[in-house]
Every structure is written in structure tokens, then in C-alpha cells.
Amino acid sequence: VQLQASGGGLVQAGGSLRLTCVATGSNLIANHMAWYRQTPGNERELVARITSRNNPNYADSVKGRFTISTDNANNAGNPAVYLQMHSLKPEDTGVYYCNGNLWRANTGSVDYWGQGTQVTVSS
């Protein structure tokens, strides 16, 4: 099982980006999926999380600007999570990591991390 993240890049302040993360494998069910970010010298912090019942929660710093969503209906067995980011600020800069707590019959629930995608917001 791997989480493949994409969509990062360089954008000016006020711009938008959409991050995508897809779990590869088979017969996976997401208990929850999330996006974290990390900047040099700092710990990885939660940006947004969404549960299997599509209940999202956000870091205070991104509320009203970021939206997390899933597309499990069209990715049966391969859960996907997206992060739509609007009104980006320089302080949103960092490496964004996808996280998923995924269940499969032969492994139970396991926590997985994607490889990270760089988001850079210029002022």
C-alpha cells in the first residue's frame, strides 16, 4: 500500500492549489485521511482531517480557506483525499504529507504516509 500525493507547486500569495492523494493497493477502506505539513525546524502539524463519515476538521490557521474532501465512491478500494487551498499565504509554505488510516481484511487498520509534496507561496 502506498499513498501517492501530487499537486504541490509554486504560487503567489492569494492563489490556489489543489493537492491529491490516492492510496494504491486493493480493497482498502479509509477510517480517516488527513493532510499534514512540515516546515524546516518544526514538527509536522495537522492541516485537515476527514473521517469515513465525511466529517472534516481543520487547523485554525486554514479554516475558511482550505477544504478537504474524499472521492471514495469513484475510487472503490483505493481511497483518495483532496485538499483545495484558496487564499494562500506565505506561511502556508511547507511540505504537505498525506496520511491515511486504512483498513484491509488481511492487515486490519494501518497508518500510512505519502511522500510529501512541496507547496511554496511567494509574497
Side-chain angles (χ1 to χ4, degrees), residues 46-69:
L46 177 67
V47 174
R49 175 185 289 166
I50 189 165
T51 69
S52 59
R53 296 189 177 186
N54 280 327
N55 292 322
N57 60 79
Y58 299 94
D60 288 343
S61 61
V62 307
K63 284 180 180 177
R65 300 188 297 121
F66 291 10
T67 302
I68 190 170
S69 61

Side-chain angles (χ1 to χ4, degrees):
V1 176
Q2 290 185 334
L3 296 183
Q4 296 182 341
S6 61
L10 173 64
V11 64
Q12 288 188 333
S16 299
L17 282 173
R18 178 178 167 88
L19 304 183
T20 297
C21 176
V22 180
T24 61
S26 61
N27 301 315
L28 296 165
I29 297 174
N31 294 316
H32 62 257
M33 299 190 78
W35 288 96
Y36 287 73
R37 69 185 175 199
Q38 189 169 23
T39 54
N42 294 310
E43 294 186 355
R44 199 171 293 186
E45 62 174 355
L46 177 67
V47 174
R49 175 185 289 166
I50 189 165
T51 69
S52 59
R53 296 189 177 186
N54 280 327
N55 292 322
N57 60 79
Y58 299 94
D60 288 343
S61 61
V62 307
K63 284 180 180 177
R65 300 188 297 121
F66 291 10
T67 302
I68 190 170
S69 61
T70 61
D71 190 18
N72 292 324
N74 292 326
N75 287 281
N78 295 98
V81 64
Y82 310 94
L83 187 67
Q84 180 67 55
M85 305 184 290
H86 294 300
S87 303
L88 282 161
K89 303 176 181 180
E91 51 263 44
D92 294 319
T93 294
V95 179
Y96 283 68
Y97 294 91
C98 172
N99 167 262
N101 187 270
L102 308 177
W103 181 92
R104 191 160 60 177
N106 62 334
T107 62
S109 294
V110 179
D111 225 37
Y112 297 94
W113 290 91
Q115 81 280 15
T117 184
Q118 176 71 45
V119 172
T120 303
V121 184
S122 62
S123 57

